[in-house]
Every structure is written in structure tokens, then in C-alpha cells.
Amino acid sequence: MRYTYKEFLGYCHQQNDKIQLDDDIVWHGKIPVPESLVKKIFFGSENLLGKYLDHLISAYAVQTYDLLNNTNFLSKVPTSSAVRDSASTLVQVLGAARGNENFCLLEGQIIQASGLKNYQRLNTERFLKTLQHTGKKYERIYVPRKVKDFVTNIAPKLNTGVGISNGDMFGNVIADELQIYRSGFSDAFAGIFKEYLKFKFQHFGSLDPSLSALGLVQELAYKNAGSVILSKHLTRNLWEPRLGQNGEIKAYVNDSHPVFLNKDISKDEIFNLFLLAVSHEEMHTMNDQAKETIENFRQRVSSTLKDFIVSKAT
């Protein structure tokens, strides 16, 4: 599966037969949503996913506070009236929740599982702003299976109030973000974004959605080695190394390189041609110092590859 808009639409229909594509309209049940708005959800997912994390982390923070203090704020939020009436207490909620080890583990897991690399940890100001959203309560926020399973393992009581019905809460947030308030659109947005969360968390958990603007299409993770990320770079290079979170090595491969555009070339041939290209450049390097650097690099790569294979086998 590739992280593309086309495959996302196919996934939506596969998972939910209420979602149908008809020319430039995406139907959610009987609600026709212009495809341009669905594209805004997919290609604007970095922003929407960030707002979703704000809401989900806020919900678990309030639930943690309620469990620790025998209160019932979760049933009242998000809503501006709750923040207005209980501001002096709610301003303490996030800090109090972070004093709980299980909440801290959950918060870190949610952020990591989202793949968002530029997400700024929720602060009190953003927390209160999030709780002021007017709409459905957090019992109706959709929670991806990966997150629910993690909660079940570390603090199952947190699952008793957050995301226990409908899963349509976030549709109002998307409607506010896109400033679209037509009848039924909130439910359609919620349904489409729900499938996006499944698509993202289940199949592309470590993928930063901001890269979709670069045409990122696939990520392959290799245990103890790193990740190879296929994307449509704006550069001419075949590949580019980058450093990910926690020191993970990532190799970005340019899906628009001519070697991939030629459909007559198989994957095996690409590998062989790659080795010949590397050998060609090494054999045409006349500078002794540069030649020694390349030879040392080749030896180190060969040794590292052997280590990777041994690690994968064990």
C-alpha cells in the first residue's frame, strides 16, 4: 500500500461502502462532498492531524484528572461554557495529568504513532483553546485501534469515557477548519477523516504526513536498520539520506528518477544498473585521495550490509 491520495480513496471505499467516488464528487452515504474538499483533508492532514492530537490528548488529560480527583469534567468538554465556568480548575488539569506516569506514556505514544515530526507538545494555552470548541463531546471522538490497544495495556480505565460512541466528534472541527457548514457535511467529514485515521495509524504510523506535499508514496521499515521512503523529490538525485527521530536513519528514494519512470526496467535490473553506475563513477575517479575515500566507503557499506542481514536473520 502506498501513501497516495488515490490509494487513500480506494481504502476509504474498501473499508466503508458508504464512501463512493463519482467523477469529482465523493459520496458519504447520501451526502455529496466535492472532491476538492476531500483533497484538502488528505493533503492538509498535517494541520488536521495536529488538531486531532490536541483534542485526543486533551480528552485523555481530562479523563486522567477525573479519575484521580473523582470529578466529571469529561462529560462537559469540549465547550466554551465549561472553560468559562471552570477555568480556574481546568487550567491545572494538563499539568496534573502529566504528573501521572501512565498519561505521559500515552501522550508520547500518541505523538509517536501519528508520525508528526513538527508537532509541538500541548501547552496549557492550547489545551484551554481546544476545550473551548463547541460541538460534540469527547465520548464521541474516534480513537484509532492502535491507540486504544495501548491504553488497554497501560491504563484501561481511560477507555471508559473517551471515544466510546459514534466517533463523529471531529467532523465539527474539520467543518470549522474548512469553514463549510452545509447540512450533513460534518458527518461526512467525520466519516472520511475516520478512515484517514485508520489508513494513517494502521499502515503509515511512522510517516510524516507533511511529506505528502512532496508526493511521498511509501515507507518500508527495516528492523535495526532504518527506513526507505519512496517519494517524489524535487531534486534529480536518486536517493538522499536523512536522520529521523531517535537517531533512525532514513533513505529517501526519488520516485520520479528516470530509472523508475521506465516501466521496461525491473527491480532486479534497477539494482544491477545502480551497482554499475556506482562502479562507473568509482572507476572514473582519478584523484587518489577521492578514490581512497570511495574505496573506504564501499568497504564500510559492505560491512554494514552484512551486519543488517545478520540482524534481520536473528
Side-chain angles (χ1 to χ4, degrees):
M1 185 175 293
R2 295 151 64 93
Y3 190 88
T4 64
Y5 174 70
K6 181 179 180 181
E7 293 214 17
F8 166 61
L9 279 185
Y11 179 87
C12 285
H13 175 62
Q14 181 184 15
Q15 296 294 311
N16 186 344
D17 58 11
K18 290 175 62 177
I19 300 176
Q20 304 274 352
L21 178 61
D22 180 17
D23 292 330
D24 57 350
I25 296 294
V26 175
W27 290 85
H28 184 272
K30 296 182 179 180
I31 305 299
V33 180
E35 190 180 4
S36 59
L37 296 181
V38 181
K39 285 183 176 180
K40 285 185 178 181
I41 292 175
F42 182 80
F43 291 106
S45 58
E46 179 185 21
N47 177 49
L48 289 175
L49 195 53
K51 289 184 179 298
Y52 172 78
L53 293 197
D54 282 357
H55 279 280
L56 188 59
I57 291 169
S58 294
Y60 280 123
V62 174
Q63 172 80 330
T64 300
Y65 184 89
D66 280 348
L67 290 172
L68 292 173
N69 296 277
N70 197 29
T71 50
N72 191 29
F73 285 111
L74 188 67
S75 65
K76 304 173 184 177
V77 291
T79 180
S80 57
S81 60
V83 176
R84 183 182 64 246
D85 297 340
S86 307
S88 60
T89 302
L90 289 175
V91 77
Q92 306 172 38
V93 167
L94 185 60
R98 286 195 174 130
N100 179 270
E101 182 180 0
N102 287 336
F103 173 80
C104 291
L105 284 172
L106 175 59
E107 181 182 27
Q109 177 69 15
I110 290 172
I111 296 171
Q112 182 180 4
S114 75
L116 284 175
K117 302 298 187 285
N118 296 320
Y119 180 76
Q120 298 296 316
R121 194 166 178 246
L122 191 66
N123 57 27
T124 301
E125 181 180 358
R126 242 168 62 231
F127 171 68
L128 291 176
K129 182 178 179 180
T130 298
L131 293 188
Q132 290 184 56
H133 171 74
T134 299
K136 296 162 184 174
K137 304 298 182 282
Y138 285 138
E139 67 175 15
R140 296 174 69 162
I141 191 171
Y142 175 75
V143 182
R145 173 53 57 188
K146 182 180 286 189
V147 175
K148 278 210 169 185
D149 288 346
F150 189 76
V151 174
T152 299
N153 289 332
I154 65 164
K157 288 185 178 179
L158 289 180
N159 275 334
T160 60
V162 177
I164 58 175
S165 68
N166 296 84
D168 59 353
M169 171 263 164
F170 202 71
N172 286 344
V173 179
I174 297 175
D176 285 348
E177 189 67 16
L178 300 182
Q179 301 211 336
I180 304 291
Y181 300 104
R182 299 178 202 168
S183 176
F185 269 44
S186 174
D187 289 340
F189 290 154
I192 292 167
F193 193 72
K194 179 178 177 180
E195 299 307 328
Y196 172 76
L197 291 175
K198 293 179 185 177
F199 180 75
K200 176 70 179 67
F201 277 80
Q202 183 176 345
H203 299 287
F204 302 97
S206 61
L207 206 76
D208 186 348
S210 67
L211 296 175
S212 64
L214 294 177
L216 188 149
V217 293
Q218 190 176 36
E219 178 171 359
L220 300 172
Y222 294 90
K223 186 178 180 182
N224 300 325
S227 298
V228 174
I229 298 177
L230 198 64
S231 65
K232 298 184 185 300
H233 278 282
L234 302 180
T235 66
R236 291 179 297 174
N237 293 336
L238 175 61
W239 84 97
E240 177 183 328
R242 292 189 188 178
L243 193 63
Q245 284 187 325
N246 303 317
E248 181 192 20
I249 299 299
K250 294 179 179 290
Y252 285 77
V253 181
N254 180 11
D255 190 46
S256 296
H257 190 277
V259 73
F260 291 116
L261 298 179
N262 189 331
K263 301 305 180 184
D264 295 328
I265 301 176
S266 67
K267 288 185 178 180
D268 288 341
E269 289 176 307
I270 290 174
F271 175 72
N272 293 336
L273 291 173
F274 172 80
L275 290 180
L276 286 171
V278 171
S279 300
H280 179 277
E281 291 307 310
E282 182 173 347
M283 294 304 294
H284 283 77
T285 299
M286 298 295 108
N287 181 285
D288 289 340
Q289 184 176 355
K291 197 172 187 67
E292 183 179 355
T293 299
I294 293 173
E295 288 175 351
N296 289 335
F297 178 73
R298 176 160 46 84
Q299 291 171 7
R300 296 200 311 275
V301 169
S302 299
S303 177
T304 299
L305 179 60
K306 181 180 67 176
D307 292 341
F308 283 167
I309 292 173
V310 171
S311 173
K312 182 177 178 61
T314 56

